[in-house]
Amino acid sequence: MESLIFPYQTELAEPMAHYMKDHFPFCGVKKPQRALLERPFLKESLDLPMPALLQEIFRNYNKAEREYQYYAIDLAQRNIQRFSLEDLAALLPLLAEKSWWDSIDAWRKVFSTWVLAHPAEIKQVYHFFYQHENFWYRRVAINLQLMFKEQTDPELLAQAILVDLTTDEFFIQKAIGWALRDYSKVNPEWVKEFMQQHSLSKLALREGSKYI
């Protein structure tokens, strides 16, 4: 499989880096253009043996520019139906590399997509992240069931939130509010009761209450 090389566009690279607080360099390729450039490579990736696919994901994720991390995650997402639980677990170290909300939330979607296709394995995947020492992994535990609707396991949701109820970290409190807000669309009474029983941060309470 040939390597995807993103063009460097100085006029866009700097503003895109600034938007991400200058944590990462960018090539300056916006999402619509990136999607077009990725398309043939993602299609070709479907024929790669799993070891080669994982190698390609890791190789791109380790490149400097942020677009390559996005591409690596897109490779995983495009091939997610091919992943075994062991293949999925092999991706876990990447969540600790170049971590920020954009990559973590994209990885969360990968794991969520797999769980929706393998609902019997939800607890095993959830425990990849639950009580992890790295708060970015715990953000995934909290938001793992986003958009699961009636398939949401409220016990796992509550468990993930309670671990971080008093954690003074914006991205954790935002995740708590996001998870509660999403679940309130299908089970508002549960969310109301949970909020009444526990002392949530102002941020989590405001976000979680948006639809109730």
Side-chain angles (χ1 to χ4, degrees), residues 33-64:
Q33 183 187 9
R34 178 167 56 82
L36 286 174
L37 292 169
E38 287 182 2
R39 186 177 296 166
F41 293 89
L42 293 177
K43 183 178 180 180
E44 187 179 352
S45 74
L46 295 171
D47 295 323
L48 285 176
M50 284 306 298
L53 174 65
L54 289 169
Q55 183 179 31
E56 189 71 7
I57 290 170
F58 274 77
R59 188 176 66 81
N60 280 279
Y61 206 82
N62 288 325
K63 291 185 179 182

Side-chain angles (χ1 to χ4, degrees), residues 139-157:
R139 178 177 167 95
V140 177
I142 294 166
N143 287 157
L144 182 64
Q145 300 182 85
L146 283 180
M147 293 180 283
F148 278 28
K149 299 181 179 179
E150 290 83 1
Q151 290 181 249
T152 301
D153 183 330
E155 182 179 341
L156 294 184
L157 176 60

Side-chain angles (χ1 to χ4, degrees), residues 85 88-89 92 111 123-130 132 137:
L85 183 63
L88 196 68
L92 289 170
F111 285 87
K123 289 187 178 179
Q124 288 181 267
V125 176
Y126 169 77
H127 281 284
F128 289 161
F129 308 103
Y130 174 62
H132 199 285
Y137 286 72

Side-chain angles (χ1 to χ4, degrees), residues 66-85:
R66 196 59 165 167
E67 287 88 348
Y68 291 104
Q69 282 98 67
Y70 298 154
Y71 171 49
I73 298 170
D74 288 344
L75 281 169
Q77 183 68 43
R78 181 64 180 269
N79 287 273
I80 198 62
Q81 293 184 342
R82 303 171 57 203
F83 276 65
S84 66
L85 183 63

